[in-house]
Amino acid sequence: MDFTEKEFTEIIKDNEGRLKHLSRTYADRIDEEDDIYQEIIVQIWRSLPSYNGKAHIDTWVYRLAINTAISFARKKKTRRNYYSQLKKEKESQKGRDHKYSDSNEDKRVITLYDAISELNASEKAIITMYLEDFTYEEIAFVTDITENYVGVKLHRIKNKLSNIIKEENGA
Amino acid sequence: MELNELKNVWKQQSSNHNLDYSQSELMMLINNQMISLEKEIKSRDRIEFIACLFLIVCFGIILFTTNSVWKQVGSVTIVLSGIFIWYKLKYTQHRSFDKKPSPDRPMREYLKLEAESVEKQKKLLQNIAWWYIAPICLGLFFFALGLDSGFTKKLLYMIVVIVTGGLVWWMNQRAVKQKFDPLLKEIKEAIKFLEED
């Protein structure tokens, strides 16, 4: 399918909020959020000609965005530095000088992102789609699992998140 | 925070206004990224080509100017190694890794392709002793045999070659352990989560 620049911009605007949240979910640092978001935009532009209309455009865009965010990890040049630094951050963190800290942001949002960061790439994808009000059918389309399994997986992820949040609140 | 609060909390988060782009800004971003990617690939290709060319020219000159048979054998070995390494990098590594799967595929399929790609990169580094270090070290050994110096100096030279080769090998294995193994583990965990009952 052919898309004009205007149509492309509209697609980005319509999905802006979700894509920003997704970038934040998969970023390990604040400075990566911008890089992931920009990479997603470029991938959407490059892949739009292959959109075949089988799924709703927003669902298709989200699937592409998730894969792009996952792929971003592979390209990280300083992965070795990241692991040793992250370990130091986690071990020494007491005052919650968190990577997403923003004095105006609800602490519960930070806690939620903190908890989500403990999940694996698939768990992140499913829970963010749930939080963004995607249907089970749409989640199944993105992840390539059946709708029944989406429910099962979501249940497990919610329990895992609940335990992580309880641990963090208790810490 | 209770589970039923999750959605409310999610929806309350503030927007990152640094990422608000107008149409013209979006198109500029895309053009810049495409140009930057093209430059990165060309630069990487250029560096590898120059390194190979340097080896070929230096040892090519020695090949035709030396009377020592060992130096000639060493030079030929190094020139051929340089060509082989350049070929290996350009046509094997780059063709595999730069041919990324389209990100609009289903996530499970995409994760499997990502895992495959990382495995290939890992294997390339794990086997570096055979396709990178050994050919060059062999060439340098032959070259050393033809040097106009005593046995001790030749031995010292060979020890330096072995130690350097060993260091390069060790650094690449470390990269495998610190970079590729954790990444592969993450990807496989994500795949397992989708596939387990």
Side-chain angles (χ1 to χ4, degrees):
Chain A
M1 277 193 190
D2 289 328
F3 287 84
T4 61
E5 286 182 13
K6 188 165 180 263
E7 285 167 330
F8 166 71
T9 307
E10 278 170 18
I11 291 169
I12 299 298
K13 290 290 174 204
D14 289 345
N15 291 278
E16 199 174 56
R18 284 174 166 177
L19 296 181
K20 285 179 185 177
H21 298 162
L22 185 72
S23 302
R24 188 173 172 181
T25 301
Y26 281 87
D28 294 309
R29 294 191 177 104
I30 285 178
D31 55 345
E32 283 177 10
E33 202 178 314
D34 294 7
D35 292 342
I36 294 174
Y37 185 72
Q38 289 173 9
E39 181 79 14
I40 288 171
I41 288 175
V42 171
Q43 287 302 335
I44 291 170
W45 173 256
R46 290 168 82 173
S47 303
L48 268 175
S50 65
Y51 173 63
N52 56 19
K54 281 187 182 167
H56 190 276
I57 184 72
D58 293 349
T59 313
W60 180 87
V61 161
Y62 205 80
R63 181 163 86 177
L64 190 146
I66 284 176
N67 288 336
T68 303
I70 289 170
S71 185
F72 184 82
R74 188 155 73 79
K75 291 194 244 177
K76 269 201 289 201
K77 289 181 182 123
T78 55
R79 193 162 185 89
R80 182 165 60 96
N81 293 336
Y82 149 68
Y83 268 106
S84 56
Q85 187 173 339
L86 182 62
K87 196 176 169 194
K88 281 179 198 166
E89 282 175 12
K90 282 189 179 279
E91 282 169 2
S92 67
Q93 220 170 32
K94 295 254 186 229
R96 308 308 291 169
D97 181 20
H98 196 270
K99 55 190 175 174
Y100 301 124
S101 70
D102 173 347
S103 55
N104 296 324
E105 188 148 56
D106 188 340
K107 291 280 185 264
R108 293 179 306 164
V109 172
I110 296 172
T111 303
L112 180 55
Y113 269 106
D114 224 357
I116 290 174
S117 73
E118 304 280 324
L119 305 176
N120 66 45
S122 299
E123 290 168 332
K124 283 180 186 172
I126 293 173
I127 193 65
T128 50
M129 293 194 79
Y130 164 75
L131 293 170
E132 297 286 0
D133 291 327
F134 281 96
T135 63
Y136 278 24
E137 187 188 351
E138 287 167 329
I139 297 175
F141 169 79
V142 167
T143 54
D144 192 31
I145 56 177
T146 62
E147 277 182 58
N148 287 341
Y149 270 141
V150 169
V152 169
K153 303 294 179 196
L154 203 43
H155 180 72
R156 284 187 199 161
I157 296 168
K158 285 181 192 174
N159 285 342
K160 191 171 173 181
L161 265 184
S162 173
N163 290 335
I164 294 170
I165 291 171
K166 276 182 192 155
E167 258 181 55
E168 294 211 354
N169 288 338
Chain B
M1 189 180 349
E2 298 299 323
L3 282 174
N4 54 11
E5 280 182 75
L6 289 182
K7 278 200 184 185
N8 293 335
V9 170
W10 186 259
K11 287 175 185 356
Q12 280 169 25
Q13 62 181 298
S14 51
S15 180
N16 181 351
H17 292 293
N18 291 335
L19 301 177
D20 290 346
Y21 299 118
S22 65
Q23 181 172 324
S24 57
E25 283 168 337
L26 278 176
M27 299 324 299
M28 202 183 328
L29 167 71
I30 284 163
N31 284 332
N32 287 346
Q33 294 278 50
M34 305 277 250
I35 289 169
S36 156
L37 178 66
E38 216 178 289
K39 271 187 186 167
E40 193 187 308
I41 292 172
K42 276 189 181 160
S43 163
R44 185 180 59 193
D45 285 351
R46 203 179 304 131
I47 289 169
E48 283 160 10
F49 179 71
I50 289 171
C52 174
L53 194 63
F54 178 76
L55 271 181
I56 291 172
V57 167
C58 285
F59 286 93
I61 289 171
I62 294 170
L63 174 64
F64 291 108
T65 55
T66 186
N67 292 324
S68 161
V69 172
W70 282 117
K71 277 187 180 176
Q72 286 174 347
V73 170
S75 298
V76 166
T77 308
I78 290 171
V79 164
L80 291 175
S81 302
I83 295 169
F84 175 68
I85 290 166
W86 177 76
Y87 167 80
K88 182 92 176 165
L89 286 175
K90 189 164 173 61
Y91 289 99
T92 308
Q93 183 181 0
H94 293 176
R95 289 285 161 95
S96 293
F97 306 158
D98 287 347
K99 241 198 261 179
K100 289 175 213 162
S102 171
D104 64 348
R105 293 191 187 198
M107 191 180 156
R108 185 159 61 143
E109 186 187 329
Y110 191 80
L111 281 169
K112 285 181 178 176
L113 291 167
E114 282 283 298
E116 253 178 54
S117 185
V118 174
E119 290 272 18
K120 279 183 192 163
Q121 289 181 60
K122 179 180 162 179
K123 202 174 170 188
L124 198 71
L125 291 193
Q126 281 177 322
N127 293 337
I128 202 167
W130 307 114
W131 64 271
Y132 190 91
I133 297 170
I136 292 185
C137 284
L138 189 64
L140 289 171
F141 277 164
F142 288 143
F143 200 83
L145 290 173
L147 288 174
D148 296 328
S149 32
F151 174 76
T152 312
K153 277 193 178 167
K154 286 182 186 178
L155 187 61
L156 194 63
Y157 174 88
M158 287 184 186
I159 289 171
V160 168
V161 167
I162 292 173
V163 167
T164 307
L167 190 64
V168 169
W169 177 84
W170 176 79
M171 283 169 62
N172 280 280
Q173 302 320 302
R174 197 159 163 245
V176 164
K177 203 175 161 191
Q178 292 188 337
K179 182 176 173 179
F180 294 109
D181 281 346
L183 184 53
L184 208 44
K185 189 179 168 210
E186 273 183 35
I187 297 173
K188 285 182 174 175
E189 251 177 45
I191 295 168
K192 190 181 167 201
F193 176 78
L194 290 177
E195 294 191 329
E196 67 190 358
D197 291 330

